[in-house]
Amino acid sequence: SKNRRRPMGGQGKVMAGSTDPTTAVEKTAPKSSAGLWQAPVFVLGVGVLVAVGLGRPLLAPHNPGTPVRRELQQARLLLENPNGDTVQAAKLAESVLDDKDKNPGATAEADLLLGTSLMRQAAQAEGARATELWAQARQRLEAADKEKITERDRARLQYRLGIVGYHTHDKPEDVVRRIKASIDQADDQVEGYTVLTQAYLNLEKPDLEAALDANLKLRNLPEANEDVLAPARLLGGELELRLEHPALARRVLEKVGARATPEIKSKALRLRARSFQDENHWAEAAALWQEAKADGQRPSEVLYNLGVCADRQGQTDEAARFWEECIQAGEDETRPAALALAALRLKGSKPETALEMLALIADKTKSAEDGAHPPTDQAAVLKLFQEAGKTYLDKHNYDLAVRLAEPFEHIGAPGEAKEL
């Protein structure tokens, strides 16, 4: 107990000898800086409160900057979504443009987004409504093109101007120039290469090689589904044929799958058959024409060409049967089928049976001359009538020759039928 009280007693003596109660503490304890933080922190706190008070109006909902940015971002997100609401995106962009005097820096982006939303709507519309929407989209995009815009958005803008230019009948070379330069920034490369292919074909002198290159890139896109690939392969095959690459064309056309529409499958099959036929591969062509006959598409064309293949292989009876069926079908190939059948009968044992076909040819010729598409085989028809007249005269079939003269009046030169 004594040991514990001694320090207290000593301290008490020191304090007793001082006239100021704080003097002993200041002398015996080191000076502390703990109290120095209070003043600057107080000043800092006051500054923060003032800054927040001054800055709050900039963050407040009624300030135009914040809702404008929010509306443009929302519109952009809607358009980046393939299933986004394009009508709502258009409304958001229009709301910014309605108050463009207060938001001059946002006008270009709003025009770009509004033009894009109108493009999407036009792609889903038909007829006059689609035409109107494409024109409106072009107006908004051209407005954006005159304003300051980010480099990334400018590349996208050029692509979209190319697409709307195609749909609003710009010069094909302008469409090609814009899309070719910006295809890497395309919203939809399937759409981009599809339009680019057609633009090359629409040039005053179609660029078949460039069109085929764009078509090939389209067919190689991972995102291209069967709905895109089937017509693209059909067009690719047609382009290969026009470039005189029949073997390549057939390889492309063979890839038109079973999920293609009946029209596309049928056309691809007929193109393959015709390519064999053009190379005088009659058996291969006939096999494909027989396959085409089963699908029921364009029966007159199929029957006519089956007759051609049979005739070239010496199967005259088969050829006659196919051509007779073709004439009965009564479609576009009636006239060429009648011409081929007349020539076949004229060479046969009963040349008089050709007269019926010759009269039919003359009737079809008159109808064609009266229509918008005059016949292109007039020389062949004239030659056949002249051969028929000579054949009937040589065989002393004068009655047939006289009967031939009547239809011949629609075919021969003036006075030629009277001379017969």
Side-chain angles (χ1 to χ4, degrees):
S1 296
K2 291 179 181 179
N3 290 337
R4 291 175 183 174
R5 285 195 295 269
R6 282 176 185 171
M8 294 293 291
Q11 187 176 6
K13 291 178 181 179
V14 173
M15 294 178 67
S18 176
T19 58
D20 185 348
T22 64
T23 303
V25 176
E26 289 172 358
K27 290 181 179 177
T28 58
K31 291 183 178 181
S32 173
S33 62
L36 299 179
W37 61 271
Q38 297 174 358
V41 168
F42 173 76
V43 173
L44 180 61
V46 172
V48 169
L49 290 173
V50 172
V52 169
L54 294 174
R56 184 170 297 278
L58 298 176
L59 302 174
H62 68 268
N63 184 276
T66 298
V68 164
R69 176 48 45 199
R70 188 166 58 246
E71 287 172 352
L72 291 176
Q73 184 62 22
Q74 187 179 351
R76 192 179 286 268
L77 290 173
L78 286 171
L79 293 173
E80 287 175 355
N81 181 356
N83 299 317
D85 188 340
T86 57
V87 174
Q88 179 61 21
K91 289 179 180 178
L92 290 166
E94 284 173 337
S95 70
V96 175
L97 291 171
D98 288 343
D99 207 12
K100 63 182 178 182
D101 291 339
K102 294 182 180 180
N103 310 297
T107 303
E109 185 178 0
D111 274 324
L112 173 62
L113 295 174
L114 178 54
T116 303
S117 66
L118 291 168
M119 284 176 62
R120 302 283 174 79
Q121 294 175 53
Q124 300 297 321
E126 295 179 355
R129 179 57 179 161
T131 302
E132 179 185 1
L133 287 169
W134 282 119
Q136 292 175 2
R138 177 174 185 148
Q139 182 182 8
R140 298 316 332 159
L141 295 175
E142 287 179 340
D145 195 33
K146 297 174 183 176
E147 301 171 34
K148 186 177 180 180
I149 199 167
T150 67
E151 287 302 314
R152 185 178 182 187
D153 276 348
R154 185 159 297 282
R156 292 175 174 175
L157 173 60
Q158 292 307 307
Y159 167 77
R160 293 168 192 173
L161 282 169
I163 297 296
V164 298
Y166 172 77
H167 288 284
T168 54
H169 311 295
D170 260 3
K171 292 180 179 179
E173 52 267 32
D174 291 337
V175 175
V176 167
R177 173 177 52 80
R178 280 195 160 116
I179 296 181
K180 185 179 179 182
S182 59
I183 191 69
D184 291 338
Q185 297 296 323
D187 303 300
D188 180 356
Q189 287 198 323
V190 169
E191 173 193 49
Y193 281 116
T194 300
V195 171
L196 186 58
T197 302
Q198 291 299 327
Y200 279 124
L201 294 175
N202 290 343
L203 292 170
E204 186 175 353
K205 182 180 179 181
D207 190 338
L208 299 182
E209 292 283 1
L212 181 60
D213 181 66
N215 172 268
L216 180 60
K217 289 176 179 176
L218 170 62
R219 287 184 272 136
N220 286 332
L221 288 175
E223 60 268 33
N225 58 31
E226 192 61 32
D227 291 341
V228 171
L229 289 174
R233 286 166 179 158
L234 177 62
L235 178 57
E238 291 177 321
L239 290 171
E240 294 285 11
L241 287 173
R242 291 175 67 178
L243 289 165
E244 299 181 357
H245 306 150
L248 283 174
R250 288 192 290 269
R251 284 204 290 271
V252 174
L253 294 168
E254 283 172 0
K255 293 181 180 179
V256 173
R259 288 188 293 169
T261 65
E263 293 76 14
I264 288 178
K265 286 191 293 185
S266 178
K267 189 170 183 180
L269 186 59
R270 296 198 308 272
L271 285 173
R272 287 168 58 203
R274 193 174 292 281
S275 73
F276 275 125
Q277 197 166 312
D278 291 341
E279 294 184 299
N280 299 328
H281 298 316
W282 307 111
E284 293 88 342
L288 289 174
W289 286 120
Q290 284 287 3
E291 191 176 340
K293 185 181 179 183
D295 67 26
Q297 299 282 331
R298 295 182 61 87
S300 180
E301 179 189 4
V302 172
L303 289 166
Y304 171 73
N305 285 289
L306 277 170
V308 172
C309 292
D311 183 53
R312 297 301 187 275
Q313 295 178 86
Q315 302 165 358
T316 54
D317 290 343
E318 283 291 291
R321 181 174 61 82
F322 285 128
W323 286 329
E324 286 168 359
E325 289 183 37
C326 176
I327 292 166
Q328 290 173 4
E331 296 179 3
D332 293 342
E333 283 73 17
T334 298
R335 176 187 160 95
L339 183 63
L341 186 56
L344 189 65
R345 289 179 175 180
L346 198 60
K347 297 174 186 175
S349 58
K350 297 181 178 179
E352 64 275 11
T353 58
L355 189 59
E356 179 187 3
M357 293 298 104
L358 292 167
L360 177 60
I361 293 167
D363 183 57
K364 292 292 181 181
T365 298
K366 188 175 184 302
S367 299
E369 287 174 344
D370 293 340
H373 302 288
T376 58
D377 58 353
Q378 282 293 75
V381 171
L382 176 59
K383 182 179 178 181
L384 181 62
F385 269 83
Q386 290 170 339
E387 288 180 357
K390 185 176 184 304
T391 299
Y392 293 154
L393 289 174
D394 289 346
K395 292 183 176 295
H396 307 291
N397 289 330
Y398 303 121
D399 179 57
L400 293 177
V402 170
R403 288 166 58 191
L404 177 65
E406 182 179 352
F408 198 11
E409 285 190 83
H410 301 295
I411 305 298
E416 194 169 1
K418 287 188 171 61
E419 182 181 350
L420 177 61

